[in-house]
């Protein structure tokens, strides 16, 4: 994903749209043979340059795109997203059907599936997974179990406030999930990588839920570094010294065997180094090439695949940390102070745009009537004189919405200082304190963003602001936070699609004209580049590529 696609830095405590009446039928066929290296014309390995290191491999406790890029190859959810689109598709569930009131969902599961440890996937296994996710301790609930918290609202300890109300085994191949209310999240939320199915036996034996707080981060059980899924690949090795993650084909996979037998993720934080390694042939591709390099890469024979801009970059604000940020006039002045068109023109690739709200224009609920807040440094300066901001940005990372965090930060910082703001600069590694700092409320302001997990307004603004108690923007200390959370909940629970869309349009208007809990800045089209020898790659607007179809010519 996806706030952000964020991951909590950790210490590992061990070694290494509500569519009533909707249903779907899988088009995927099981069986098939591995063809990687077939006839000697293809390489046995696809090597991908990753921008950051994973901290865990248990997808339930992951929240950042670099980790999900890996776990997506290893795990299946009940549902998935059709490759190359943002549309829902079957995975471990072949069909699904809601009740008339939208509060109960029946899923018909795929038969003949086993996890990579040989354990069967069936209705009992599916319900055990949901109960495992629901039953989190205090540390996990407040920290790394973020996707469940932001989508379901609460855990077993606060069950009355949870969207999820239980999973029942109807027969060996059918489950029923009960929800507290109708919601636009279902069934699409079950396509989230974090809600993937895992081997119940491995979860139990590895004490997978034993997460503990450790400083600003968390300590995880051994299982988190060696989880068991049902996807086309399984984990072979994480060589932290050499910064490589190796996956091998899962010979028990229920679908078509991967075209390439081995995936290696080579962790290379510096984008220019990734480019050099692609040109040298030591990697076969990498994500988020610098836009200034796109033409040169193509001229050299590489393939630059540009995705749609299904994302948002924002400047987060913390009124709990800095009392002056409780004043909406101060927040509006900060927005006026930032020359966002100049950010688009000087820092972002062709196709980027100034954001008028927190969701992309392709998402239902986007308010076409909203216009960008005008850049007005002089007016901003009248409100901002004397304001000091502890403003943070991440290092050792490139994100779809944030190609070069430092350059974007410096441009915004210059605008703020020109408007009279004293900026105290903080930078931390993405997976080395930055994201935990955001969650812990360590900064007055910060740069972050979000790539949608599926096509839903709730996946953006509901994720950001819906949970009053725990959202990063500390809306709980504002005079509008409760109202905003209630408005988001009411929109999400609206069954009629047209009515729900109108509610989200109104909320988007209020978010930028009345509340302004953060500053939506830009949308940016991210690219992925691969060698000219790579075949079979289908790029995703969600940056959620699956590599089982990829082959690399010798």
């Amino acid at each position: 994903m996806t706030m952000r696609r964020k991951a909590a830095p950790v210490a590992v405590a061990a070694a290494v749209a509500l569519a009533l009446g909707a249903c779907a039928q899988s088009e995927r066929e099981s069986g098939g043979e591995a063809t990687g290296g077939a006839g000697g014309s293809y390489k046995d390995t696809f090597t991908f340059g990753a921008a950051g290191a994973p901290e865990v491999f248990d997808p339930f406790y992951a929240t950042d795109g670099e980790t999900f890029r890996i776990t997506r190859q290893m795990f299946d959810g009940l549902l998935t997203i059709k490759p190359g689109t943002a549309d829902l598709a079957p995975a471990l569930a072949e069909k699904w059907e809601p009740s008339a009131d939208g509060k109960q969902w029946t899923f018909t599961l795929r038969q003949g599936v086993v996890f990579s440890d040989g354990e069967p996937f069936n209705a009992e296994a599916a319900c055990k997974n949901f109960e495992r996710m629901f039953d989190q301790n205090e540390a996990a609930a407040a920290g790394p179990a973020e996707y469940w918290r932001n989508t379901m609202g609460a855990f077993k300890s606060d069950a009355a406030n949870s969207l999820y109300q239980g999973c029942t085994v109807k027969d060996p191949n059918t489950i029923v999930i009960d929800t507290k209310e109708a919601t636009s999240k279902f069934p699409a939320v079950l396509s989230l990588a974090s809600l993937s199915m895992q081997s119940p036996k491995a979860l139990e034996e590895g004490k997978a839920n034993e997460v503990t707080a450790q400083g600003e981060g968390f300590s995880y059980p051994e299982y988190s570094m060696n989880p068991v899924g049902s996807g086309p690949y399984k984990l072979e090795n994480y060589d932290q010294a050499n910064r490589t993650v190796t996956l091998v084909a899962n010979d028990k996979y229920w679908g078509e065997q991967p075209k390439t037998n081995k995936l290696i993720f080579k962790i290379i934080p510096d984008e220019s180094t990734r480019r050099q390694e692609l040109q040298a042939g030591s990697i076969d591709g990498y994500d988020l090439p610098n836009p200034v390099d796109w033409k040169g890469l193509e001229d050299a024979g590489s393939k630059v695949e540009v995705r749609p801009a299904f994302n948002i970059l924002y400047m987060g604000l913390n009124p709990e940390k800095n009392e002056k940020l409780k004043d909406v006039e101060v927040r509006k002045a900060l927005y006026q102070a930032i020359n966002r068109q100049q950010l688009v023109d000087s820092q972002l690739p062709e196709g980027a745009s100034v954001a008028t709200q927190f969701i992309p224009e392709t998402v239902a609920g986007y308010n076409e009537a909203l216009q960008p807040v005008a850049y007005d440094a002089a007016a901003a300066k009248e409100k901002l004189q004397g304001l000091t901001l502890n403003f943070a940005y991440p290092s050792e990372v490139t994100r779809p919405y944030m190609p070069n965090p430092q350059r974007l930060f410096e441009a915004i910082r210059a605008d703020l200082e020109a408007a009279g703001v004293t900026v105290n600069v903080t930078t931390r590694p993405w997976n080395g304190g930055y994201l935990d700092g955001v969650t812990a409320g360590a900064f007055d302001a910060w740069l972050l963003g979000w790539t949608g997990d599926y096509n839903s307004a709730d996946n953006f603004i509901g994720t950001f602001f819906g949970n009053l108690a725990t959202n990063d923007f500390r809306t709980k200390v504002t005079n509008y936070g409760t109202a905003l959370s209630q408005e988001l909940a009411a929109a999400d629970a609206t069954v009629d699609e047209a009515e729900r869309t109108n509610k989200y349009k109104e909320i988007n208007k209020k978010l930028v004209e009345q509340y302004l809990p953060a500053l939506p800045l830009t949308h940016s089209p991210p690219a992925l580049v691969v060698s000219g020898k790579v075949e079979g790659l289908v790029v995703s607007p969600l940056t959620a590529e699956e590599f089982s179809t990829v082959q690399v010519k010798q």
Side-chain angles (χ1 to χ4, degrees):
M1 13 158 88
T2 317
M3 241 184 285
R4 41 251 185 209
R5 280 303 178 315
K6 76 183 207 182
V10 300
V12 178
V16 224
L18 180 64
L20 295 182
C23 64
Q25 180 68 43
S26 173
E27 296 178 357
R28 297 179 70 175
E29 300 295 337
S30 61
E33 297 179 356
T35 59
S41 58
Y42 293 100
K43 294 167 61 176
D44 188 64
T45 301
F46 175 59
T47 302
F48 193 85
E55 293 292 341
V56 294
F57 294 101
D58 179 347
F60 185 67
Y61 294 131
T63 48
D64 74 302
E66 293 302 331
T67 299
F68 286 137
R69 191 194 312 281
I70 296 172
T71 65
R72 190 172 289 111
Q73 319 307 323
M74 301 164 56
F75 295 91
D76 300 305
L78 292 189
L79 280 62
T80 189
I81 300 296
K82 183 180 179 181
T85 76
D87 301 331
L88 209 56
L92 294 182
E94 295 184 305
K95 295 187 294 184
W96 50 91
E97 192 77 30
S99 60
D101 63 1
K103 296 182 182 181
Q104 191 174 78
W105 288 80
T106 300
F107 295 86
T108 302
L109 305 181
R110 185 179 300 278
Q111 299 183 42
V113 176
V114 297
F115 295 99
S116 61
D117 63 356
E119 289 295 303
F121 171 76
N122 51 30
E124 182 180 358
C127 283
K128 283 184 176 179
N129 268 267
F130 283 108
E131 289 303 306
R132 175 257 172 153
M133 298 177 205
F134 190 38
D135 190 11
Q136 296 292 306
N137 64 29
E138 184 176 358
E146 180 176 321
Y147 265 91
W148 182 279
R149 183 173 69 247
N150 289 332
T151 56
M152 302 300 180
F155 297 88
K156 192 172 184 176
S157 59
D158 187 22
N161 291 313
S162 172
L163 175 62
Y164 171 86
Q165 288 292 299
C167 178
T168 303
V169 174
K170 184 176 180 180
D171 62 48
N173 303 307
T174 309
I175 63 170
V176 178
I177 294 179
D178 291 295
T179 60
K180 182 180 179 181
E181 58 201 2
T183 172
S184 66
K185 295 180 178 69
F186 264 72
V189 68
L190 302 181
S191 69
L192 289 174
S194 58
L195 304 190
S196 297
M197 297 290 101
Q198 305 186 46
S199 166
K201 179 181 178 182
L203 287 167
E204 183 177 356
E205 291 180 351
K207 299 179 179 179
N209 281 19
E210 292 191 0
V211 175
T212 58
Q214 184 169 304
E216 286 191 351
F218 302 91
S219 176
Y220 294 89
E222 182 177 355
Y223 176 82
S224 72
M225 299 305 285
N226 192 31
V228 178
S230 62
Y233 290 93
K234 59 184 179 181
L235 181 66
E236 181 180 72
N237 180 52
Y238 178 23
D239 186 339
Q240 292 176 288
N242 291 307
R243 310 197 79 180
T244 59
V245 178
T246 302
L247 308 184
V248 294
N250 172 17
D251 60 4
K252 297 181 175 64
Y253 182 50
W254 55 269
E256 182 179 351
Q257 277 290 306
K259 300 295 186 183
T260 299
N261 290 325
K262 183 176 292 188
L263 300 181
I264 295 178
F265 295 88
K266 189 174 182 180
I267 299 155
I268 311 169
D270 180 66
E271 191 275 335
S272 63
T273 304
R274 295 197 296 275
R275 184 185 70 248
Q276 292 165 7
E277 294 218 19
L278 177 67
Q279 293 170 334
S282 54
I283 63 174
D284 301 306
Y286 67 94
D287 205 355
L288 309 177
N290 191 316
V292 302
D293 295 326
W294 289 5
K295 185 178 185 302
L297 286 163
E298 288 182 325
D299 290 345
S302 296
K303 301 175 184 177
V304 177
E305 305 283 358
V306 183
R307 313 173 178 105
F310 198 66
N311 58 42
I312 179 71
L313 169 68
Y314 60 77
M315 178 176 168
L317 302 173
N318 183 353
E320 189 173 49
K321 184 74 171 177
N322 188 325
E323 288 277 331
K324 291 186 177 180
L325 295 176
K326 289 183 177 179
D327 186 344
V328 69
E329 296 304 319
V330 170
R331 301 196 299 275
K332 288 180 177 179
L334 287 169
Y335 209 17
Q336 286 180 304
I338 301 172
N339 190 338
R340 291 173 292 142
Q341 187 60 56
Q342 188 175 67
L343 286 180
V344 167
D345 294 340
S346 64
Q347 304 295 333
L348 298 174
E350 183 179 351
S353 62
V354 171
T356 64
Q357 53 208 282
F358 289 96
I359 67 175
E361 63 181 358
T362 54
V363 176
Y366 181 87
N367 192 323
E368 300 88 349
L370 295 175
Q371 297 298 313
V373 172
Y375 168 61
D376 191 337
K381 196 168 187 176
E382 294 179 8
K383 295 285 187 181
L384 298 177
Q385 285 288 347
L387 176 66
T388 297
L389 275 185
N390 296 315
F391 187 15
Y393 73 93
S395 62
E396 300 184 16
V397 73
T398 300
R399 300 309 307 136
Y401 44 80
M402 189 165 52
N404 190 317
Q406 184 174 3
R407 287 183 58 188
L408 282 162
F409 174 87
E410 292 297 345
I412 296 169
R413 174 191 179 187
D415 285 346
L416 295 177
E417 290 179 338
V421 179
T422 299
V423 177
N424 295 328
V425 180
T426 298
T427 185
R428 298 180 185 177
W430 179 258
N431 276 335
Y434 184 75
L435 294 167
D436 264 355
V438 170
T439 301
F443 318 124
D444 297 350
W446 66 94
L447 287 182
L448 216 51
W450 182 259
T451 298
D453 295 300
Y454 46 86
N455 197 344
S456 161
D458 175 77
N459 184 243
F460 284 85
I461 55 178
T463 300
F464 298 163
F465 312 117
N467 194 317
L468 180 65
T470 63
N471 73 67
D472 291 342
F473 311 92
R474 303 310 197 264
T475 58
K476 63 186 179 183
V477 304
T478 70
N479 60 5
Y480 65 84
T482 298
L484 173 57
S485 292
Q486 290 173 345
E487 288 162 0
L488 287 165
D492 178 53
T494 301
V495 174
D496 183 81
E497 184 175 355
E499 182 183 355
R500 184 172 67 243
T501 295
N502 286 332
K503 285 184 178 181
Y504 278 124
K505 286 184 176 183
E506 182 60 28
I507 293 170
N508 278 314
K509 179 180 173 68
K510 288 183 177 181
L511 276 168
V512 294
E513 294 185 354
Q514 296 181 36
Y515 303 151
L516 208 60
L519 311 181
L521 300 175
T522 57
H523 307 288
S524 183
L528 184 151
V529 59
V530 292
S531 160
K533 296 180 179 181
V534 171
E535 298 177 348
L537 176 67
V538 180
V539 295
S540 164
L542 313 182
T543 67
E545 287 77 22
E546 298 178 6
F547 292 152
S548 62
T549 60
V550 170
Q551 292 178 288
V552 185
K553 290 181 179 179
Q554 292 281 10

